[in-house]
Amino acid sequence: MTLDSPTAVPSDIPAFPQPRSARCPFDPSPELRALTDHGPLTRVRSWGGTTPWAVTGHAEQKALLADPRLSAEFSRPGFPSPVDPQHTHAGGTDLSFVGMDDPEHARLRRMVSGAFTVKRVEALRPVVQRMADEHIDRMLSGPRPADLVTALALPIPSLVISEMLGVPYADHAFFQTNSKTLVSAVATAEERGLAHRTLVDYLHRLVGEKLDSPGDDLLSALAERIRAGELTRAGAAAMGVLLLLGGHETTANMISLGTLILLGHPDQLARIRDTDDPAVVAAAVEELLRYLSIVHLGRRRTALEDIEIGGRTIRAGDGVILLGELANRDPAVFPDPDRLDITRNARLHQAFGAGTHHCVGQPLARMELQVIYPTLFRRIPTLRTAEAVDRLPFKYDAVVYGLHALPVTW
């Protein structure tokens, strides 16, 4: 994956680097880290010779993510796309309120946020626990080595979000395949466009079914908004794509990556496996979220007005890339940040973003990880990887980082 354009720009502006590489699959690449040498903000060269600001400092990112003078609208001139515009189909990809600004962003977000409150998510914990045990039973009774991604990491988040939305889990292979294409950084414009249209058409049909025969699920709740004139059917379909994509892709990657990194830190794995204290597990999950930072191409914005920050001036129309993987390794906030330490207080991490656009599904992701890690290690105490780390297929080619496969045995 090449992240910069060959268009000529001033030589003192570095190209936006590969965020990770085979040399350091768990850490920001040395080239990405080098951006911090220029201070908390620096210009980088991106597609078509554009020079957006890369924000590397934790404090600066937190402030900017909460600043209404930055726009999240993908279609604005100067928006720093994470993929080559030539790989983006005409009209862009409608990811509902993620690519909107307030007040419309807030209005649409409120339609779904109630389903992801801590109270409602905690009510699902026994369901997720049962799913985890059933999938581990199935994996133990099957052949070795097993692929943890297909046996556990993908199916559980997919099952959970499918049940919440009212999407038939029998269609999981279909929506996982199209989701994978949609978050690929190297898919062609035609491939991404087809995947997006296919998912939108699928959700459009499901929303129509909920209009005719509503149930106790999130798509039915959105159908009620359509009947009330608060939402279009196309808008509900776009929101369904966003929730289906976000509800399984990111958590699945955290399950597989987190398992792999803990297998390389047996003392910390044992602490998660052996504790009866949910606070210990919760703290471990926060540290894994900080350390792995799987949204590894940055959160993207465009400045609506001039902004003075970090000793620099972001001009109106400038693109801004907020690099959470560097904010989460900021030594001013996290001492010895390159060391995995599940006993540290990592709650200030920005794995879920910040401000009005923070991830609406973060309570669900946290709960699923809190269930799956200790259950997996208790049920299979001899779990180990079946391939060397340097032979594993990491998702260097995706907007969300993870593993295509994780062969394990026991």
Side-chain angles (χ1 to χ4, degrees):
M1 175 173 60
T2 302
L3 294 177
D4 60 286
S5 164
T7 303
V9 294
S11 59
D12 60 340
I13 297 180
F16 186 79
Q18 186 80 16
R20 282 179 165 107
S21 69
R23 290 175 294 161
C24 46
F26 301 113
D27 303 317
S29 68
E31 294 81 6
L32 194 71
R33 288 177 181 273
L35 297 180
T36 62
D37 296 341
H38 304 276
L41 288 88
T42 188
R43 289 277 196 178
V44 292
R45 173 163 44 92
S46 189
W47 312 115
T50 59
T51 54
W53 290 97
V55 185
T56 63
H58 185 281
E60 290 75 16
Q61 286 192 45
K62 183 177 180 181
L64 287 168
L65 285 168
D67 196 321
R69 294 174 294 177
L70 286 185
S71 172
E73 291 184 5
F74 304 151
S75 59
R76 284 189 181 274
F79 186 86
S81 172
V83 298
D84 189 334
Q86 295 181 14
H87 286 210
T88 304
H89 65 283
T93 298
D94 182 1
L95 289 179
S96 188
F97 54 81
V98 166
M100 296 180 182
D101 297 331
D102 289 338
E104 186 65 1
H105 160 263
R107 185 183 76 85
L108 294 176
R109 183 186 172 100
R110 283 194 296 270
M111 293 184 185
V112 299
S113 58
F116 296 96
T117 63
V118 172
K119 182 177 180 180
R120 291 201 177 185
V121 163
E122 281 302 311
L124 294 173
R125 189 178 287 264
V127 176
V128 176
Q129 182 66 64
R130 172 178 54 79
M131 290 178 181
D133 283 320
E134 289 175 350
H135 281 79
I136 291 170
D137 286 343
R138 201 168 296 131
M139 188 169 77
L140 287 171
S141 64
R144 286 180 282 179
D147 176 15
L148 192 81
V149 172
T150 56
L152 189 73
L154 257 179
I156 294 177
S158 297
L159 267 169
V160 174
I161 197 62
S162 295
E163 290 193 7
M164 290 181 71
L165 283 172
V167 170
Y169 181 68
D171 296 337
H172 69 279
F174 160 81
F175 65 72
Q176 286 169 3
T177 298
N178 284 283
S179 297
K180 183 178 179 179
T181 301
L182 205 54
V183 299
S184 170
V186 295
T188 66
E190 291 75 18
E191 290 167 340
R192 289 170 58 83
L194 178 59
H196 181 246
R197 289 191 302 273
T198 301
L199 285 172
V200 168
D201 290 348
Y202 172 71
L203 267 298
H204 197 275
R205 176 178 60 79
L206 282 180
V207 170
E209 293 175 2
K210 303 298 181 181
L211 282 166
D212 295 334
S213 181
D216 184 20
D217 53 62
L218 196 43
L219 286 183
S220 295
L222 293 179
E224 181 60 35
R225 300 281 189 170
I226 297 171
R227 282 189 287 269
E230 300 172 6
L231 188 64
T232 66
R233 184 168 167 180
M239 205 177 296
V241 171
L242 169 65
L243 296 173
L244 190 61
L245 177 66
H248 79 273
E249 182 72 27
T250 51
T251 305
N253 287 324
M254 272 301 303
I255 292 169
S256 56
L257 270 181
T259 297
L260 178 60
I261 196 70
L262 286 168
L263 288 172
H265 293 75
D267 55 331
Q268 302 198 53
L269 183 156
R271 185 176 175 86
I272 294 172
R273 182 192 64 216
D274 298 338
T275 186
D276 292 323
D277 186 350
V280 171
V281 175
V285 167
E286 299 307 316
E287 172 67 351
L288 288 165
L289 288 163
R290 177 199 74 84
Y291 189 82
L292 294 171
S293 298
I294 62 173
V295 180
H296 74 149
L297 292 182
R299 290 173 171 84
R300 309 285 172 128
R301 301 288 189 268
T302 310
L304 300 176
E305 303 174 20
D306 291 359
I307 302 171
E308 300 281 347
I309 188 167
R312 303 295 183 104
T313 301
I314 300 173
R315 298 294 182 189
D318 285 352
V320 180
I321 306 173
L322 301 121
L323 295 166
E325 57 269 57
L326 294 182
N328 288 340
R329 299 292 183 100
D330 190 333
V333 181
F334 306 104
D336 196 7
D338 295 331
R339 180 172 60 90
L340 180 72
D341 178 7
I342 64 169
T343 67
R344 83 162 82 229
N345 181 358
R347 287 302 294 261
L348 291 177
H349 71 75
Q350 295 179 20
F352 294 114
T356 60
H357 278 271
H358 72 271
C359 175
V360 70
Q362 60 180 288
L364 179 63
R366 284 187 164 105
M367 182 272 288
E368 290 175 336
L369 296 174
Q370 289 167 11
V371 169
I372 291 169
Y373 290 137
T375 302
L376 176 63
F377 297 132
R378 287 170 189 158
R379 293 289 311 278
I380 316 180
T382 58
L383 187 73
R384 63 186 186 277
T385 56
E387 288 280 359
V389 171
D390 61 4
R391 297 183 63 185
L392 293 174
F394 289 91
K395 293 183 178 180
Y396 302 116
D397 58 345
V399 175
V400 180
Y401 191 57
L403 286 157
H404 292 291
L406 177 57
V408 293
T409 189
W410 51 92

